[in-house]
Amino acid sequence: MSDKFKGIYDKSIKNPEEFWQEASNEIFWFKKPTKILNKSNPPFYKWFEDGITNTCYNALDVHIDQGRGKNIALIFDSPITGNKSQFTFEELRSKVSIFAGALRAQGVNKGERVIIYMPMIPEAVIAMLACGRIGAIHSVVFGGFASSELASRINDSKAKILITASCGFEPGRKIEYKPLVDQAIKIASHKIDKVILFQRKGHEAKLNSLNEISWDQAISNAQQVDCVEMNSNEFSYILYTSGTTGIPKGIVRDIGGHIVALKWTMKNIYNINSDDVWWSASDIGWIVGHSYIVYAPLFKGCTTLLYEGKPVGTPDAGAFWKIIENYKVKSMFTAPTALRAIKKEDPEGKLLRKYDLSKFKSLFLAGERADPDTIKWAENLLNVPIIDHWWQTETGWAISSNCTGIEMMKTKYGSAYKAVPGYDVKIIKPNKIAAKPNEMGDIVVKLPLPPGTFPTLWNADQRYRDNYMFNYQGYYETYDSGYMDEDGYIWIMSRTDDVINVAGHRLSTGAIEEVLSEHQSVAECAVLGISDKLKGQIPIGLVVLKAGVDKDHETISKECVQMVRDKIGPVAAFKITIVIKRLPKTRSGKILRGIIRKIADKEEYKMPATIDDPAILNEIKNDLIKNNILKN
Ligand code: COA
Ligand code: AMP
């Protein structure tokens, strides 16, 4: 480790208050904080508690105040529809402040919740920032989730307004949002006051009741509104993420800490200045989209790109490189699965070579483990650093990375680099003893977490404490396991809970099991994530039928797949259900999911001493072979 990074990192750990106070000087405050960190009620920490600020002011107004209002804030490019547009900071502020006025006219006040269920269009960003402007708390729901997932978020957040659009587009398929919203509203027990729907040109949806208005109607008489003053510890958003059960966890973000931390990361991690173009090819429904399509780049005052397209098929595997050339992108962020999809279609980079990528300086990856083959492939073709960095919805920004704005680190393929300033990462073995270098264990972070991470869960302080802060007192449990080598590089190996990562999307196998158990023929089931060359992992379901069921297995499998698609959504990428005779269990009745996964992935496993009947493992193996999951 060289001195510059080490000095900064050590300071952040030894004296976090001084470190983050300095960073807090870089943002706009209506009233600067004098109390930097309140540690009086662990594990609930408060950053900048007497500071007064506003998210939207820091994303837009501050840059206009500084004379950069004519700079481009947002570029929209949709290869799916052919639409393109650009907005300066002034133009974006004008649209945001009118829509904020429209929300206020609909009775949305500070602290009230607004659900945003929208495709990747500028209005989604405008809606998010408008919430920030008036102090409303947004909760964005990814478009690939089905009605019941949307309904559970409506219920938990008790949202007042739902903002949507007439449709989104997936390659070869139009997603009509209105029927999905109608169904969610029907099944939700909490009743929202109003739906505001953005009509996409040529694809308008029919509005039925008085409670539904179009975006244009909503803004027709609206007044522009200014940013409200918000206490640093009020919430800016809730983003629901998968936990171990079907009940999603509402990750909340505060206001001051969020702005301070994200602005700090743009220069220090990503080496982005305010005159650069930055692109995060994610979706606003995920944390990467929140932090790095919308907030961090706008806090920094650089140009951010919103892309309604895919890495392949819109129209081809050169789509990413075309965007980089067209807009002179300096750095981008995507998921390894996107690179794997491109690699599969254009392994030799023939399409890539058509474009001028001379302005492109680095590519960041996260969301799942980046396999060394893919990193090396991209490195060879792009000739820029390909940086795997590790983070979670909970933290909102990277826990470990190559901090390229401080100092370029050496790459160790398969590792997600070192802990970022602010994170005191430790590896602890199951016996609660600290692991030695290169020894596997649970990855934890010493409390307090840095600013911009999650201060609690929405309306669930106890769940926050029990779920994350209980097993390792004084630490945040990441639920990732791995090791740290002698140079401090972190190697993320796997999740320790039921969460799987499918094409960079975080899913709960427990939630899928809950759906399968509702099938009337299913007695019990297990869902596990098995390795997939493109998506990293895919879920498969194993179901045991109730006695006496004589329906054919193929029909049952198809019904199970459809149920998951209807209840969780297409994003679950759930396509395989196998009917089996029995599930392997311990004598105490615990299903041995880990062992089944190892069999499916052809990994070595130890026969557990507590297994009820070892013969079942052979049965499962044969079932997996019969269903082409496992090659003989
Ligand atoms: N709205 C509705 N449906 C959606 C959707 C959305 N916003 N996003 C995905 N889906 C659907 C897809 O159409 C697909 O449906 P299908 O089963 O009918 O084909 C299903 O959900 C699964 O999608 P996905 O897992 O994304 O697979 P894919 O085969 O469509 O695409 C990739 C594969 C690799 C191209 C794609 O997953 C990708 O670009 N991944 C990047 C992930 C990412 O950005 N993650 C964010 C963290 S950085
Ligand atoms: P999400 O909350 O959707 O961002 O998912 C977080 C989870 O994704 C982490 O807990 C990890 O399991 C996984 N993940 C994210 N980034 C990486 C990475 N660089 N390497 C390995 N796993 C990762």
Side-chain angles (χ1 to χ4, degrees), residues 142-144 170 173 281-282 288 311 337 503 505 535 565 570-571 575:
F142 178 60
E170 281 292 290
R173 186 159 71 95
S282 176
V288 175
T337 188
H505 306 141
K535 299 194 176 187
R565 196 173 171 94
V571 68
K575 311 253 155 126

Side-chain angles (χ1 to χ4, degrees), residues 123-179:
E123 286 68 23
V125 177
I126 292 167
M128 290 167 79
L129 293 169
C131 288
R133 200 160 186 89
I134 58 172
I137 299 172
H138 64 65
S139 183
V140 182
V141 180
F142 178 60
F145 280 125
S147 300
S148 40
E149 291 287 322
L150 179 57
S152 74
R153 286 149 173 83
I154 293 174
N155 285 341
D156 195 69
S157 66
K158 305 220 171 348
K160 187 159 192 171
I161 300 270
L162 188 150
I163 306 169
T164 188
S166 50
C167 66
F169 296 97
E170 281 292 290
R173 186 159 71 95
K174 181 161 125 182
I175 316 285
E176 307 270 3
Y177 278 74
K178 188 65 183 8

Side-chain angles (χ1 to χ4, degrees), residues 207-226:
L207 297 175
N208 297 318
S209 73
L210 287 174
N211 294 340
E212 300 170 354
I213 54 168
S214 72
W215 179 284
D216 286 352
Q217 269 172 287
I219 58 172
S220 58
N221 292 317
Q223 306 287 319
Q224 298 210 358
V225 297
D226 279 335

Side-chain angles (χ1 to χ4, degrees), residues 1 4-16 19-20 23 47 260-271 292 333 364-366 387-392 395-407 409 415-426 443-446 448-453 476 478 484 487-492:
M1 209 188 261
K4 187 162 181 210
F5 177 81
K6 187 176 180 332
I8 291 175
Y9 179 79
D10 287 351
K11 178 173 171 185
S12 79
I13 302 302
K14 282 192 197 118
N15 201 341
F19 184 89
W20 291 110
W47 284 99
V260 170
L262 289 196
K263 185 163 186 191
W264 181 89
T265 64
M266 280 314 279
K267 176 67 195 162
N268 290 284
I269 298 183
Y270 302 104
N271 198 21
Y292 289 101
F333 185 160
F364 287 83
L365 299 173
I387 296 158
D388 179 17
H389 64 331
W390 166 57
W391 53 299
Q392 309 182 310
T395 62
W397 54 286
I399 310 168
S400 78
S401 183
N402 184 345
C403 290
T404 62
I406 300 178
E407 177 172 47
M409 290 173 194
S415 154
Y417 297 86
K418 299 178 189 180
V420 168
Y423 291 97
D424 190 0
V425 176
K426 305 271 184 230
I443 311 181
V444 299
V445 185
K446 193 159 187 297
L449 291 172
T453 53
Y476 159 64
T478 65
M484 197 186 285
D487 299 324
Y489 279 66
I490 295 171
W491 304 69
I492 312 296

Side-chain angles (χ1 to χ4, degrees), residues 466-477:
D466 293 350
N467 204 274
Y468 295 105
M469 316 290 176
F470 182 77
N471 284 340
Y472 297 99
Q473 290 292 312
Y475 294 88
Y476 159 64
E477 184 175 5

